[in-house]
Amino acid sequence: MTRSVEWPPSWWAAVTKPRPLAPALQGEASADVVVVGGGFSGLSTALHLAMRGRNVMLLEGMAVGWGASGRNNGQVIPTMSAAEPDVIVKRFGETGERLARLIGDSAATLFQLVRDEHLECEAEQTGWFQPAHSPGRIKLSEQRVRAWERFGSPAKLLDREACARLLGSDFWYGGMLNPTGGHINPLALARSLADACVKRGVQLHEQSPVIDYTREGDGWCVRTAAGAVRCRALVLVTNAYTDALESKLEPRISREV
């Protein structure tokens, strides 16, 4: 069965260069790794596995970037929205420290990948700035800069004068600047990542919603309506859309993100 892909209304869908859909999976196939989900996580996983010489198949139920990956605001922000790195480390220990370092370097990693793979996504690495609207908030900005510096982030504190030069407004009291942040067209990024995956040898199939997967020996069998693929490893990265196309795909995580 082939689904027609109707794109939810968005600015990105209206202005981004389209790409031909990859063929749906038909018949029997095999791979080292099957990745289910064609958002940023799935595309990045497939691309980096292919770079390491793995035979990878990526199955997407609609079209790459159809979900949240292709509809977000495109800001590349190398920080966390609701928790400081020290809080994460205190709660999760060494794992939290690795997460903090990963996030602190995440924007640099993305833009380097854009350059290395020549991804066409309107990338602008012009930095990310979090302004402070009161004297109390500038103290908080200073604490955040010091916290992120401990985990290798290039964040720095701007005073009111430097902030005014950066933004052209003297309303703010200063703030935290991370020069590695920036902005991308998220749908273009997803589509360009898909092209990079194919160039690296990834078997990409769109309009191929997975309806079931089962353990077979030391591997897996992943099934769609028109085909099946056997693999040594399976990566499920359907995120908030885990039950959108097949309600019984993975009930344990269908209500989580």
Side-chain angles (χ1 to χ4, degrees):
M1 179 181 70
T2 301
R3 293 174 181 264
S4 61
V5 176
E6 296 184 9
W7 286 89
S10 76
W11 177 256
W12 303 121
V15 303
T16 303
K17 178 183 177 181
R19 59 175 294 278
L21 288 173
L25 178 65
Q26 301 282 338
E28 302 283 327
S30 63
D32 292 336
V33 185
V34 168
V35 178
V36 181
F40 290 151
S41 296
L43 291 163
S44 179
T45 299
L47 178 60
H48 286 88
L49 284 171
M51 288 178 176
R52 297 183 182 187
R54 301 295 191 272
N55 177 9
V56 184
M57 178 181 290
L58 191 155
L59 299 174
E60 161 57 40
M62 299 295 281
V64 293
W66 181 87
S69 292
R71 287 184 248 164
N72 63 84
N73 61 24
Q75 296 180 34
V76 184
I77 303 175
T79 186
M80 293 179 274
S81 62
E84 303 302 324
D86 291 332
V87 175
I88 297 296
V89 174
K90 183 177 180 180
R91 181 172 180 181
F92 298 104
E94 189 271 339
T95 299
E97 182 173 347
R98 286 192 291 117
L99 176 62
R101 292 188 181 280
L102 176 67
I103 292 174
D105 201 37
S106 58
T109 299
L110 171 61
F111 285 109
Q112 188 59 53
L113 181 66
V114 168
R115 290 187 287 269
D116 290 345
E117 297 297 310
H118 307 289
L119 304 180
E120 298 180 3
C121 58
E122 303 174 48
E124 295 186 9
Q125 193 176 16
T126 50
W128 174 78
F129 184 65
Q130 185 179 58
H133 63 269
S134 71
R137 299 297 289 188
I138 194 65
K139 293 180 180 178
L140 180 60
S141 295
E142 184 175 5
Q143 294 172 5
R144 286 176 171 166
V145 168
R146 301 294 173 257
W148 281 108
E149 282 179 339
R150 289 196 293 273
F151 295 95
S153 171
K156 57 183 179 180
L157 184 71
L158 298 189
D159 61 20
R160 192 166 192 170
E161 292 183 0
C163 178
R165 290 194 297 271
L166 178 69
L167 302 182
S169 169
D170 60 3
F171 176 81
W172 308 100
Y173 287 78
M176 181 173 73
L177 173 67
N178 189 317
T180 66
H183 195 273
I184 47 90
N185 174 332
L187 183 54
L189 175 61
R191 289 174 174 173
S192 197
L193 278 170
D195 291 338
C197 283
V198 172
K199 290 178 182 178
R200 293 281 185 172
V202 174
Q203 305 172 66
L204 174 62
H205 296 285
E206 295 173 280
Q207 296 182 301
S208 301
V210 172
I211 59 176
D212 180 53
Y213 60 87
T214 55
R215 191 74 167 164
E216 291 190 354
D218 60 352
W220 300 87
C221 181
V222 183
R223 299 177 181 84
T224 68
V229 54
R230 286 171 173 79
C231 57
R232 293 167 49 199
L234 170 64
V235 185
L236 183 65
V237 279
T238 46
N239 210 336
Y241 293 84
T242 298
D243 61 353
L245 304 181
E246 173 50 60
S247 61
K248 298 180 181 179
L249 178 60
E250 186 45 83
R252 292 176 297 175
I253 63 172
S254 63
R255 302 307 302 168
E256 300 179 4
V257 176

